């Protein structure tokens, strides 16, 4: 199945570090720290110092950091990948299941 996005709000942020597409970005423009609230999801690979487009609200593609069930809340994991919510801040709900690290899934933010 092809996965599509439905972005309601996208914003720009200056990349404080190299950002990988489809990974969570912190409010400081760096890769989102594990368990932290994310500003959004980087839409494209962006080198440090450049302006990165970030998807903030809606249905967006994100790279999973491990297995995630559809419907599970997600938080930021290592390297800005989405993982199952444990003790961190919620960054949305998984619309698709991820079977392993590196799977691309849709999450919904803002509900």
């Amino acid at each position: 199945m092809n996965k599509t996005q439905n972005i309601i709000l996208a914003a720009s942020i200056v990349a404080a570090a190299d950002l990988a597409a489809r990974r969570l970005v912190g409010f400081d423009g760096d890769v989102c720290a594990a368990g932290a609230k994310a500003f959004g999801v980087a839409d494209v690979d962006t080198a440090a110092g450049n302006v990165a487009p970030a998807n903030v609200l809606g249905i967006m593609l994100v790279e999973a950091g491990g297995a995630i069930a559809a419907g599970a809340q997600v938080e930021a994991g290592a390297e800005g990948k989405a993982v199952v919510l444990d003790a961190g801040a919620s960054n949305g709900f998984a619309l698709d299941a991820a079977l392993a690290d590196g799977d691309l899934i849709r999450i919904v933010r803002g509900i």
Side-chain angles (χ1 to χ4, degrees), residues 1 3-6 58-62 68-74 92-98 104-109 111:
M1 167 179 121
K3 296 179 178 139
T4 60
Q5 302 186 106
N6 185 7
I59 297 171
M60 58 204 68
L61 295 167
V62 67
I68 302 172
Q73 285 192 68
V74 297
F93 293 86
L95 293 178
D96 306 304
L104 197 61
I105 62 170
R106 295 171 302 156
I107 63 169
V108 60
R109 296 187 73 198
I111 62 167

Side-chain angles (χ1 to χ4, degrees), residues 13-37:
I13 191 165
V14 176
D18 290 347
L19 301 175
R22 310 293 179 239
R23 300 222 184 146
L24 296 162
V25 178
F27 286 89
D28 58 359
D30 207 337
V31 175
C32 191
K37 189 68 172 176

Side-chain angles (χ1 to χ4, degrees), residues 2 6 11-12 16 46 53 55 57 65-67 70 74 78-79 83-84 94-95 97 102 104 106:
N2 290 330
N6 185 7
S12 299
T46 306
N55 299 322
L57 183 64
V74 297
E79 302 171 348
V83 296
V84 174
L95 293 178
L104 197 61
R106 295 171 302 156

